Amino acid sequence: MRRSNECERLPMTSAEELLEFVQACPSMFHTAAEIRRRLEGAGFAYLPESASWDVRPGGRYVTVRNNSSVVAFKVGERCTDPAGLRFMLEASHSDSPTFKIKAVPGLDGPENYGRLSVEAYGGAIDYTWFDRPLGVAGRVMVRDGSRVESRLVATAEPAAVIPSLAHHLQRGVNEGFAPNRAIDLCPLFSQKGADGEEEVSASRAFLELVAREAGTSADRILGYDLYLVNLQEPCVWGPAGEFVSAPKLDDLMCAFASLKAFISSENGSAVTVYCCFDNEEVGSGTKQGAKSTLLADALQRLSAFLGASAEDYRRALARSMLVSCDNAQAVHPVHPEKYDAENRCLLNGGLVVKEAANQHYCTDAFSRAVFAAILDDAGVPHQVFANRSDMPGGSTLGNLSNIQASMHAVDVGCPQLAMHSSYETAGALDVDFAIRALSAFYATDLRIEGADAAELA
């Protein structure tokens, strides 16, 4: 993150804090570890899923699944009556589109080149990965005697590059370019014999690199989940510092803003919950995704410790509300025609409430009204988004998490450009707007009366 010497003596802005968070989170496993580190630093007790829990009013707790998804909760001091239990939740996701390195990682040739064999993870904009410094990050499973343990790995220096074919060899490249993922997207990694040493295969060279990063030897690596990472430095830029650009803003921007709001806010009347799920970019249908039992398991377990019966838990869900936080498509400066003429959002205009007739977003009239009323009372700007009626648009994790734990829900996000690019852009002011908006939600004593009315206090 670029800052002048003068800026280094000043308090960090919310946008600069976001960029530090992004740099600490090169993979979904690093994101979960960084979130847990911040929560434990704020006094949250770690509750392993495999251990017995002890949850009490006034307590702060965090649990993790697969080392890539996090659920944390604060139990309000006044949550002593199981019959009046309710939850205030926000959910984001830890993953972003990238390329996963295969189990046999190397491709030898042509000539003495070594490349990496990769497969697309999520809906990446492929051409944005060309000619950039690429690192490798994720987790490695290491054998240590009778023990198999997970270790985080992230190369600080570039380890690969996906080189473009010269213009002279593809004269029509600027008229259209559709790279083949099995051919064009496999990054250059090594060159045999370049250092005068014994020639080794690309697979062996890669495993030795990973072993050094993991503090082990290549023969002790039993498996890994490793991904390409764009190492281009994030920055705040613009004449007034109005823009922020970085890898993985979708969805680390929302994960960061909701985490800041969650830690700093207080609500003695409800259980406030923070969720950051893995695998949203590939459909969430994993044991740690939004479709999984992770959230429902955590809510049911904590409810039981608060004395709630199965009936009390179901009544609590009916009184609860989820804010699904995933970034939104801001109007592009060159292609405004791609957006609905009225239902569109701009950078630095505030958090966006997203809605779709096909129900890819979980917003409805009730959840929109409640959330808008909370933000209006807090004096925080907000915007709306809906796709053009002839474009299907995307989806996110709100409805998916409701499969296991059904409740009122609204889909929101920070506006951004270049979504699913390896390097994305958003508004610097929107970081603070999002923190303020989500803090206001967490702090509201929200009392929902079915789908007809809600009391805000």
Side-chain angles (χ1 to χ4, degrees), residues 11 178 348:
N348 293 314

Side-chain angles (χ1 to χ4, degrees), residues 147-229:
R147 179 180 174 82
V148 177
E149 64 181 25
S150 176
R151 299 183 186 179
L152 292 178
V153 165
T155 59
E157 299 298 325
V161 70
I162 302 173
S164 294
L165 184 64
H167 175 268
H168 312 81
L169 304 178
Q170 49 173 350
R171 293 288 184 178
V173 63
N174 291 327
E175 298 169 11
F177 179 49
N180 184 307
R181 286 180 168 177
I183 299 173
D184 300 306
L185 271 298
C186 293
L188 177 65
F189 168 69
S190 63
Q191 188 175 29
K192 292 181 182 178
D195 57 1
E197 300 294 329
E198 177 186 359
E199 294 186 4
V200 298
S201 68
S203 287
R204 183 67 187 182
F206 178 77
L207 290 175
E208 289 178 350
L209 169 67
V210 171
R212 289 195 299 272
E213 295 291 332
T216 187
S217 58
D219 59 350
R220 291 167 60 191
I221 294 177
L222 299 182
Y224 53 74
D225 293 307
L226 294 172
Y227 303 84
L228 296 183
V229 180

Side-chain angles (χ1 to χ4, degrees), residues 97 99 122-130 179 181 185 418-422:
F99 294 86
I125 302 177
D126 291 354
Y127 72 83
T128 66
W129 287 85
F130 281 77
R181 286 180 168 177
L185 271 298
M419 186 175 289
H420 288 198
S421 169
S422 73

Side-chain angles (χ1 to χ4, degrees), residues 296-328:
D297 288 346
L299 295 182
Q300 288 175 28
R301 292 180 76 174
L302 74 89
S303 297
F305 273 100
L306 295 175
S309 65
E311 175 70 8
D312 292 330
Y313 171 70
R314 289 176 174 83
R315 293 175 62 193
L317 291 182
R319 290 190 293 263
S320 299
M321 184 166 175
L322 166 70
V323 178
S324 169
C325 305
D326 197 0
N327 275 4

Side-chain angles (χ1 to χ4, degrees), residues 86-163:
R86 62 188 187 279
F87 310 110
M88 302 281 285
L89 308 92
E90 294 175 5
S92 57
H93 63 89
S94 60
D95 61 323
S96 297
T98 180
F99 294 86
K100 191 176 191 292
I101 299 165
K102 295 181 180 179
V104 179
L107 295 170
D108 291 311
E111 306 300 335
N112 63 347
Y113 289 133
R115 294 171 294 140
L116 296 179
S117 182
V118 299
E119 183 178 1
Y121 175 92
I125 302 177
D126 291 354
Y127 72 83
T128 66
W129 287 85
F130 281 77
D131 306 312
R132 296 182 186 268
L134 301 179
V136 174
R139 67 173 174 182
V140 178
M141 304 307 299
V142 175
R143 179 70 180 262
D144 187 4
S146 62
R147 179 180 174 82
V148 177
E149 64 181 25
S150 176
R151 299 183 186 179
L152 292 178
V153 165
T155 59
E157 299 298 325
V161 70
I162 302 173

